[in-house]
Amino acid sequence: MRLEDLSFREKSAWISFLSILAVFTPFFWTSYQRLRGAVDGPTAMSTAFGLLVVFVVLEVALHVVLALRSPKEARTPRDERERLIELRATFVAFHVLVAGALAAAALLHVTQRAWVLQQAGLLAVVVAELVKFGAEIVLFRRDA
Amino acid sequence: MGCAIRNRIRELRTAHNLTQQALADRVGVTRQTVNAIELGKYSPTLEMAFRIAAVFGVPLDDVFQFEETVT
């Protein structure tokens, strides 16, 4: 797989996938350690919002670089195959999000801790996004 | 009973001296989508199929053929 063989949308999906992974993996690893009692105190939600800002800045910066490298493709709207890929990926991610939301609700009943619900809810959203971009990448690769 | 849509895009493209990118630009899709159609990995909508046929100036069934296969 050569970088120049990838379409703009596939590169964009890779950027989003890797950005989410890079930003949220350390956050949830710390949360996990706190849940196990290895670290004191709950992870502050302000940290999550801070990471969200870092994620947005990273996404915007990398997409600007990508758009500058291929301005024509960046201006072109998604074609029918790309729209279909996005729809299929969103369909899969939706079910992951629903399962994650139900798991978060179940965890609240088990642990009786609002912090766990916060973390599990955020984790469900992040995993659903990862699944969406991951599914897009898989579907793009399958057609290549 | 299975079915497959075969196409002659690569052959017609070569005959018209068009690259995948040039065909993609004229049809309004990405080069990767043209490649996926050529390889039979993606079946285009009827609208796009007509647009591809129009680029080559041939009827639709000169570009795409529907084949039913017994599996």
Side-chain angles (χ1 to χ4, degrees):
Chain A
M1 180 176 78
R2 293 183 313 161
L3 201 59
E4 52 268 31
D5 288 340
L6 308 186
S7 68
F8 178 83
R9 310 294 167 196
E10 188 177 351
K11 286 177 194 162
S12 167
W14 272 109
I15 286 174
S16 299
F17 184 85
L18 294 175
S19 298
I20 293 173
L21 216 54
V23 170
F24 286 99
T25 301
F27 175 77
F28 285 115
W29 177 250
T30 310
S31 295
Y32 174 66
Q33 295 294 332
R34 282 173 205 269
L35 194 62
R36 285 179 56 226
V39 183
D40 287 337
T43 310
M45 280 311 276
S46 59
T47 311
F49 286 118
L51 282 171
L52 205 59
V53 172
V54 171
F55 169 68
V56 170
V57 170
L58 196 63
E59 275 262 301
V60 170
L62 291 173
H63 275 96
V64 165
V65 171
L66 183 61
L68 288 174
R69 284 169 60 97
S70 44
K72 191 178 149 206
E73 273 192 276
R75 280 196 306 270
T76 310
R78 287 177 189 266
D79 67 26
E80 60 176 45
R81 177 177 144 269
E82 291 173 330
R83 283 198 301 272
L84 186 64
I85 284 174
E86 188 186 22
L87 279 174
R88 282 179 176 165
T90 304
F91 178 77
V92 175
F94 167 75
H95 288 93
V96 172
L97 183 61
V98 169
L102 291 175
L107 268 176
L108 178 66
H109 281 288
V110 173
T111 63
Q112 300 286 316
R113 289 165 71 187
W115 174 78
V116 172
L117 178 66
Q118 286 175 343
Q119 297 296 308
L122 187 62
L123 181 63
V125 172
V126 168
V127 170
E129 282 293 289
L130 275 175
V131 167
K132 178 183 179 285
F133 293 117
E136 282 188 15
I137 290 165
V138 168
L139 292 169
F140 276 123
R141 285 293 87 213
R142 204 176 61 175
D143 283 355
Chain B
M1 182 101 78
C3 65
I5 297 176
R6 288 161 46 98
N7 70 77
R8 294 175 52 230
I9 294 178
R10 179 160 291 176
E11 183 189 331
L12 288 163
R13 201 168 49 73
T14 309
H16 285 76
N17 203 22
L18 281 174
T19 61
Q20 284 187 338
Q21 187 62 62
L23 177 61
D25 289 343
R26 290 177 69 173
V27 176
V29 296
T30 61
R31 183 195 64 74
Q32 288 79 6
T33 295
V34 168
N35 186 54
I37 296 169
E38 276 191 8
L39 295 175
K41 292 182 174 177
Y42 172 69
S43 295
T45 59
L46 199 53
E47 185 186 340
M48 199 206 285
F50 272 112
R51 272 194 262 142
I52 292 170
V55 168
F56 297 127
V58 294
L60 187 64
D61 56 1
D62 271 9
V63 185
F64 296 96
Q65 295 85 41
F66 177 75
E67 284 187 357
E68 275 189 336
T69 53
V70 179
T71 53

